[in-house]
Amino acid sequence: MLKGQDLTGKRALITGSTSGIGLAIARAMHAEGAKVILNGFGDADEIAKLTDEMDAVHYDANLLDVAAIEGMMGAAGPVDILVNNAGMQYVSPVEDFPTDKWDAIIALNLTAPFHTSRLAIPAMKEAGWGRIINTASAHSLTASPFKSAYNASKHGIAGFTKTIALELAQTGVTANCISPGYVWTPLIEGQIPDTMEARGLTRDEVINDVLLAKQPTKKFVQPSEIGALAVFLCREEAGNVTGANWSIDGGWTAE
Ligand code: NAD
């Protein structure tokens, strides 16, 4: 059985890794010896602390901008591991859904992973080894009201992942989704006010009756648990795991 540090020598680019789930994945991969490349926004001092902590480089490329993605992927050079994690959410009835929010959610959650993947795959194929991990969501498998763009983008990324897994099946490159249920991160915290307004609920009602209502375990998923799963998908033992959509949702999608 392979033990820790077996990502030594691997270069891992994790989008949206200045916060939440992406940061936890970066920390987990760094702890296993990977050279991590961070991306995302945030306070410059906080990001400097993260690059020091993980001896990492950071690109602030805005993934809504194809030229910025191409610039980041070119500057970063070949990567062994690509984690498409950056994502955003907006909650609104479909008839009122702001069209610019729809476009941005599809661009960040679905189109950006297409661009990073198409740019990373040639070097992975050349090396005969690679791992593409897409942070999808329980909303790649099921839906909730008022999240039309998010649900569409996450169902889309699940289909995209299966497609590239098939295309890459004989190359040593795997592609998988991780689909969390509710994880306590800034993204979840940020959608509470919108859900309160859309459904006319208090903050506690949103947490207990909407968010955790879906999770039979009645616990938020921890970002570190997702980091551990991402590391597993990079291990040699996971070489035959491809095209899969791994739920880590406290049993939500089992119902
Ligand atoms: P978060 O808001 O904590 O982090 C989002 C990250 O993406 C940050 O680093 C941010 O700077 C970066 N980002 C945002 N817009 C960007 C842009 N235009 N260009 C580059 N980077 C950008 O979010 P999180 O909760 O950690 O979510 C990460 C992923 O996990 C998302 O894809 C999300 O849909 C998915 N997810 C989250 C949950 C949850 O409960 N939090 C559940 C299921 C799936």
Side-chain angles (χ1 to χ4, degrees), residues 16-22 39-41 61-64 85-88 108-109 135-138 150 154 180-188:
S17 47
T18 53
S19 171
I21 293 169
N39 159 255
F41 306 140
N62 182 345
L63 304 182
L64 298 175
N85 168 80
M88 63 190 288
L108 183 62
N109 297 8
T135 308
S137 166
Y150 189 82
K154 295 300 186 179
Y182 282 102
V183 188
W184 190 253
T185 67
L187 184 141
I188 285 296

Side-chain angles (χ1 to χ4, degrees), residues 10-253:
K10 304 294 189 201
R11 302 181 76 249
L13 190 156
I14 303 112
T15 70
S17 47
T18 53
S19 171
I21 293 169
L23 177 55
I25 292 173
R27 284 186 164 133
M29 290 190 175
H30 168 70
E32 296 287 323
K35 177 79 185 154
V36 299
I37 302 162
L38 304 176
N39 159 255
F41 306 140
D43 176 76
D45 290 341
E46 292 300 317
I47 292 173
K49 278 186 206 153
L50 295 178
T51 53
D52 280 356
E53 172 195 324
M54 289 180 264
D55 190 23
V57 288
H58 166 256
Y59 296 100
D60 65 357
N62 182 345
L63 304 182
L64 298 175
D65 176 354
V66 180
I69 295 174
E70 290 175 343
M72 174 179 75
M73 298 303 288
V79 296
D80 306 287
I81 298 165
L82 170 67
V83 183
N84 290 306
N85 168 80
M88 63 190 288
Q89 169 68 283
Y90 192 82
V91 179
S92 166
V94 68
E95 64 273 29
D96 300 327
F97 212 95
T99 58
D100 60 335
K101 294 283 186 201
W102 173 279
D103 288 344
I105 290 170
I106 299 296
L108 183 62
N109 297 8
L110 179 58
T111 308
F114 156 68
H115 289 298
T116 53
S117 299
R118 74 176 169 81
L119 294 164
I121 283 169
M124 292 179 176
K125 283 171 83 169
E126 176 86 22
W129 195 95
R131 297 287 188 263
I132 298 173
I133 299 171
N134 295 323
T135 308
S137 166
H139 284 112
S140 73
L141 296 161
T142 187
S144 300
F146 311 119
K147 298 182 178 178
S148 53
Y150 189 82
N151 296 340
S153 72
K154 295 300 186 179
H155 278 67
I157 193 71
F160 174 72
T161 307
K162 286 193 242 183
T163 308
I164 60 173
L166 293 176
E167 291 183 24
L168 298 169
Q170 295 180 26
T171 66
V173 182
T174 68
N176 294 284
C177 284
I178 293 179
S179 281
Y182 282 102
V183 188
W184 190 253
T185 67
L187 184 141
I188 285 296
E189 211 169 350
Q191 70 182 265
I192 290 173
D194 289 340
T195 308
M196 287 166 65
E197 191 177 325
R199 297 196 177 196
L201 300 175
T202 67
R203 183 180 168 83
D204 282 350
E205 284 170 340
V206 170
I207 290 174
N208 295 316
D209 303 341
V210 179
L211 302 183
L212 292 180
K214 303 263 185 159
Q215 286 190 187
T217 54
K218 296 293 171 200
K219 287 181 191 160
F220 284 101
V221 177
Q222 296 303 312
S224 59
E225 296 168 341
I226 300 171
L229 178 52
V231 164
F232 167 71
L233 291 172
C234 294
R235 292 199 191 285
E236 297 307 325
E237 299 102 311
N240 266 311
V241 179
T242 195
N245 190 345
W246 285 63
S247 292
I248 176 163
D249 63 6
W252 173 356
T253 52

